[in-house]
Amino acid sequence: MSDTRPAPRHNLRFTDLEGEAPPSPAGHARRSHSGATVVTCACGLDTGALPSDDARLVYEQHRHQIRDEADGKR
């Protein structure tokens, strides 16, 4: 049987201008040391370059939105 599940709607990424900052072992975004960060997601989110603290907030807000969507589907 083939898997007919749709492709994931989200693929949240946290990227600093010098390269991607990998998430912490707990799955949380780490702060970028370059001072500017981009947050993107497969759903269309693209912040462009933001100060790292602002990007971290956007990342966390979107992560919570993704979690809430997943909880609503259960």
Side-chain angles (χ1 to χ4, degrees):
M1 249 187 195
S2 68
D3 188 1
T4 59
R5 288 182 285 175
R9 180 168 179 247
H10 297 283
N11 184 16
L12 189 56
R13 307 290 289 181
F14 188 81
T15 307
D16 68 34
L17 293 182
E18 295 178 6
E20 185 174 336
S24 71
H28 299 105
R30 291 183 178 164
R31 292 183 185 197
S32 164
H33 296 290
S34 70
T37 304
V38 176
V39 180
T40 58
C41 186
C43 71
L45 174 67
D46 186 347
T47 63
L50 291 175
S52 293
D53 287 341
D54 293 342
R56 183 176 50 84
L57 290 174
V58 171
Y59 180 95
E60 290 299 322
Q61 288 172 342
H62 198 67
R63 190 173 66 83
H64 289 293
Q65 178 186 347
I66 293 167
R67 182 200 62 214
D68 292 345
E69 286 178 15
D71 287 347
K73 291 180 181 178
R74 291 181 192 185

